Amino acid sequence: MHDRSSQSTIAEDQGCLRWFLGVPLVMLYLVAGWFCWTALTIRPSGPWDDDARAGIVLSCVLTIAAAGLALLITLTPSARRALARWWLAPPLVLGMVAAVRWVGPN
């Protein structure tokens, strides 16, 4: 049987864990978002512009890497207990947008 002090300690520990996990996750979301935005805004000047295409691919790869790392952190058992399910959405959306941009027409 739990008393009120142990319940408040558990809630306090989860609050600390949310901050401990949330800050790096938000930073990874921002990094992934920056690279995704870069991938979406690079426009090749023509079919001969291999440098722009390489920039798009690099931005997509870095977006997927940052989003994948954030997703792995979010899927750990301790993070799943402490964080809400919406924390899964940003890396999934950013990763999908980057994947579509990577394989789509440049």
Side-chain angles (χ1 to χ4, degrees):
M1 189 162 164
H2 297 284
D3 61 348
R4 289 182 192 253
S5 63
S6 66
Q7 288 176 350
S8 66
T9 304
I10 291 170
E12 186 177 310
D13 288 345
Q14 281 198 339
C16 290
L17 186 58
R18 279 187 201 108
W19 276 98
F20 182 75
L21 293 170
V23 170
L25 284 174
V26 168
M27 291 171 59
L28 281 171
Y29 295 166
L30 290 172
V31 168
W34 169 260
F35 285 119
C36 189
W37 177 80
T38 304
L40 292 172
T41 58
I42 295 174
R43 300 281 181 232
S45 298
W48 47 268
D49 196 356
D50 292 332
D51 291 336
R53 293 186 205 300
I56 292 168
V57 169
L58 179 62
S59 294
C60 290
V61 167
L62 293 173
T63 300
I64 292 169
L69 180 59
L71 189 62
L72 286 176
I73 292 171
T74 307
L75 289 175
T76 60
S78 58
R80 291 188 55 140
R81 281 191 300 272
L83 300 173
R85 289 186 184 192
W86 70 264
W87 285 85
L88 292 169
L92 289 173
V93 170
L94 289 168
M96 287 190 301
V97 169
V100 167
R101 175 65 171 144
W102 188 355
V103 299
N106 294 324

